[in-house]
Amino acid sequence: MKKRIFVAGGAGYIGSVVTNELLKSNYQVTVYDNLSKGHKSSIPKNAKFIKGDILDRRKLERTFKETRYDAIILFAGRIEVGVSMEDPGVFYLNNVVGSFTLVETAIANGIKKIVFSSSAGVYASKDTPLVETDLIGPASVYGHTKRITEEVLSWYNKTLGLRYAALRYFNAAGATPPDRGEAHQPETHLIPLVLQVALGQRKNIKIFGNDYPTPDGTCVRDYIHVLDLASAHILALKALDKQDNLVCNLGNGEGYSVKEVIETAREVCKHEIKAIVAPRRPGDNAILVANASKAKKILGWKPNVPDLKDIISSAWEWHKSHPKGY
Ligand code: UDP
């Protein structure tokens, strides 16, 4: 029998790509999404869709009583680092209370496995690649909400036997043209914003701070293709048959500064992309680069599109064909 997976936030950028890959790997998928940020048209046709909020315990109860799910993948949540510093309450409510509500309702209904979208934002900045045991020290409310949820999962694991994987994504990027790409509303992420400049939709890209302790003064991140994230989720689901908890980084182990990302996009798009220096964005870490040895060793994971140029090329292809997003 096909395994049934409940994907909370499956209409979003990463969730919809993972849903598609799950279907291709012969899972049955139900997408549960409130469509506050996600796009209905990005949900793969063969997935069942339920419009709902992870804060809505009654709806979750009904859904779990109706269908038995083998596992949950939790993407639903707010993701904008900058906004989290202006409006922390929205983040604690959606990401902490929402995740808690989903976990609690799942366990009360006999669902014992969950794969959670965590983030590199749980770490303190470090100028060498981060391993999972490195210092936890979120620089933003967003990162803190991810850390709290990891801790909640860990305690449900110890007390009630919840099996969980917390996947600490570094910077998800790239697209799976022609169908799916990154289009947030409003957009706050570097690569889609840079591509909007290339498309003539924005005058320039603002570089948030050029006085960080990094080689060129701009923040350094590790960009990972969304399909490589997807393959890790499927491996993590399988790993939970054998082990009851897993925390691992997902990144390529290469750091690129904001300036380097813009320069690479110029090469890919063959457009001049005007950049201007702006003040730092509150909540940003200077450097976040992954050491993903653990995911490679334990999950047998291997990124297929590690090169930043290829990642940006896939995003560019999608953006050119979807200039208005979804
Ligand atoms: N960034 C920037 N200008 C923008 C958007 C982002 O300089 O218009 C920087 C941001 O400060 C961070 C990096 O690009 O250092 C990646 O930011 P993004 O929001 O894409 O991802 P995050 O690392 O916050 O998850």
Side-chain angles (χ1 to χ4, degrees), residues 79-82 119 121 142 169-172 182 187-194 202 204-209 212 218-221 223 256-259 261-262 276 278-281 283-286 288:
I79 55 168
E80 316 88 340
V81 167
S119 166
Y142 164 73
Y169 310 161
F170 283 65
N171 285 60
E182 187 173 11
E187 191 53 75
T188 63
H189 288 98
L190 180 63
I191 292 178
L193 286 171
V194 165
R202 279 174 198 272
N204 53 51
I205 180 77
K206 291 193 175 77
I207 297 174
F208 294 148
Y212 283 95
T218 67
C219 290
V220 171
R221 295 287 181 275
Y223 294 86
Y256 293 92
S257 71
V258 174
K259 280 187 180 165
V261 170
I262 298 169
I276 56 170
R280 287 184 178 199
R281 182 177 73 177
D284 266 337
N285 264 313
L288 292 171

Side-chain angles (χ1 to χ4, degrees), residues 36-238:
S36 64
K37 296 279 171 186
H39 309 279
K40 197 164 178 201
S41 60
S42 74
I43 303 170
K45 296 281 167 290
N46 294 334
K48 182 177 168 190
F49 173 57
I50 299 173
K51 186 166 184 229
D53 200 301
I54 53 171
L55 286 161
D56 186 346
R57 178 153 187 169
R58 283 167 63 188
K59 183 147 199 161
L60 288 170
E61 287 279 359
R62 277 203 306 277
T63 307
F64 294 156
K65 294 229 163 9
E66 221 170 81
T67 307
R68 243 209 63 76
Y69 292 98
D70 295 286
I72 286 175
I73 307 186
L74 170 52
F75 295 102
R78 294 292 299 260
I79 55 168
E80 316 88 340
V81 167
V83 181
S84 80
M85 302 301 282
E86 289 157 16
D87 204 350
V90 168
F91 278 70
Y92 286 114
L93 181 66
N94 282 280
N95 295 10
V96 177
V97 184
S99 298
F100 162 75
T101 305
L102 177 61
V103 169
E104 172 59 23
T105 315
I107 201 97
N109 285 279
I111 306 172
K112 288 261 177 174
K113 287 184 194 151
I114 182 162
V115 176
F116 171 60
S117 306
S118 189
S119 166
V122 301
Y123 293 113
S125 182
K126 193 178 168 211
D127 48 18
T128 53
L130 288 150
V131 291
E132 290 78 1
T133 47
D134 270 326
L135 188 67
I136 297 297
S140 69
V141 168
Y142 164 73
H144 188 219
T145 65
K146 293 290 178 185
R147 180 57 187 164
I148 295 173
T149 305
E150 284 188 349
E151 291 185 322
V152 169
L153 290 170
S154 156
W155 282 105
Y156 271 82
N157 169 253
K158 288 184 196 118
T159 52
L160 301 179
L162 178 74
R163 303 169 87 90
Y164 79 98
L167 303 180
R168 293 180 178 160
Y169 310 161
F170 283 65
N171 285 60
T176 56
D179 301 320
R180 295 178 187 87
E182 187 173 11
H184 299 107
Q185 201 50 265
E187 191 53 75
T188 63
H189 288 98
L190 180 63
I191 292 178
L193 286 171
V194 165
L195 299 181
Q196 287 176 2
V197 181
L199 281 172
Q201 296 173 344
R202 279 174 198 272
K203 282 206 186 75
N204 53 51
I205 180 77
K206 291 193 175 77
I207 297 174
F208 294 148
N210 66 351
D211 57 353
Y212 283 95
T214 61
D216 66 18
T218 67
C219 290
V220 171
R221 295 287 181 275
D222 181 342
Y223 294 86
I224 170 170
H225 196 282
V226 63
L227 266 181
D228 287 330
L229 281 181
S231 65
H233 286 74
I234 295 175
L235 293 167
L237 271 179
K238 291 182 180 151

